[in-house]
Amino acid sequence: MKIFRLVLESFRFAWQALKANLLRTTLSLLGVTVGIFAIIAVFTLVDSLERSINKSFDFLGSDNINVEKWPYSFGGGQYPWWKYLNRPYPTYDEYKFLSKNANNQSGITIFASKGGVTVKNKNSSSGGISIVGASYGHNTVYDIPIETGRFFSIQETENAVNVAIAGNRLVKELFPFQSPLGQEIKIKGLKYTIIGTLKEEGESFIGTPSNDDNIYIPYKSFTKLYYVGRKYGIGSSISLKGKKDDPGLFKLEGELRGLMRGRRGLKPKEDDDFALNKPEALSNFIGNTFDILGIAGAIIGSFSILVGGFGIANIMFVSVRERTNIIGIQKSLGAKNYFILYQFLFESVFLSLLGGLIGLAMVYLLTFLQLGSLELVMTAKNIVIGLGVSCFIGILSGIIPAAMAARLDPVIAIRTN
């Protein structure tokens, strides 16, 4: 109760002092406002960029390992590119082998794709479509947002049934006024029945593939359209989703390396002729890059907040000088040193916090700007950072003037004009 009364009285004194010198208060707020705006605006922009770029790479999946011919990053130097070129692509038989023997996976799929395909329906056609041939269970490894209909069954996959799941763009272009379910389309002269449609995703921030331009068909049906070879032709990839009790997917990675080497008959001294790619590594690289950008932005913005802190400290010294007589009267009436200290310290914190809130409000207004596919979002974390920095600057700027006021001799203070 005593603390609450102390805070309430300190707030009343601070508000009266700030209201009595409105112009000085406004100028003091400006430095903190600009500083908080600069720091939080940088954090918000960096976080939004990172989130948009990571979302653009959602098609690579998460918590999974891809068995592929090419690694995401080349070794270079002692491992020249032609060794990668001579590697075989993963095969359907290897997919079946891994699905039976890999115990540390919670989902597995094999898939291949072909872009720039024209799909027809009667007299209409849609160009630039990507055909993805995938096995049953592809939707357990990757997020396939079905809007209507269903994903294909294991029987349809194994029997190479000509069924398809259409992306949003194809649905709009070929079936603008009717339901596409049950309708037939033609891909390279072969008829496919649409059994499902995908939710609209929109364009990604950096132009990576979108499900809007995709059509999913069973993997074996895909091999009827295109040659999927072991070394030549269209290459396939096997993707396995890890389990929750395997952080970092180290168990799955070690198991896959052993299984693939054994399956391909590699000797102990021979190098792997396959790549185990983790999309997580790409996310970590992006995260580390943006962490550096965030730190650099914070350092630049800290100069603005530092100037604001000096401004508040200067105003607090002036405020102590102007109210020295009042401090003397308060102390002569029994006010304790901590009451005087909290009174001025609270005023400094309140002033800084008010400037920080205005800066955060300005950043919030920025989030309404239309920046194409980049969506600016001010997170709760950045709000907490902004308020925390404001309080810290207020304490740092006001602690010395408040301590000076608390140590004033009441007799000398009363005599001060």
Side-chain angles (χ1 to χ4, degrees), residues 241-255:
K241 192 173 186 66
K243 293 184 177 180
K244 293 182 179 180
D245 61 352
D246 183 18
L249 305 181
F250 297 112
K251 293 180 182 178
L252 179 58
E253 184 178 8
E255 184 182 38

Side-chain angles (χ1 to χ4, degrees), residues 254-272:
E255 184 182 38
L256 283 178
R257 177 163 282 109
L259 290 172
M260 286 298 295
R261 288 183 64 85
R263 175 72 180 183
R264 293 187 174 182
L266 297 176
K267 296 177 181 179
K269 292 185 179 181
E270 289 183 305
D271 293 328
D272 293 343

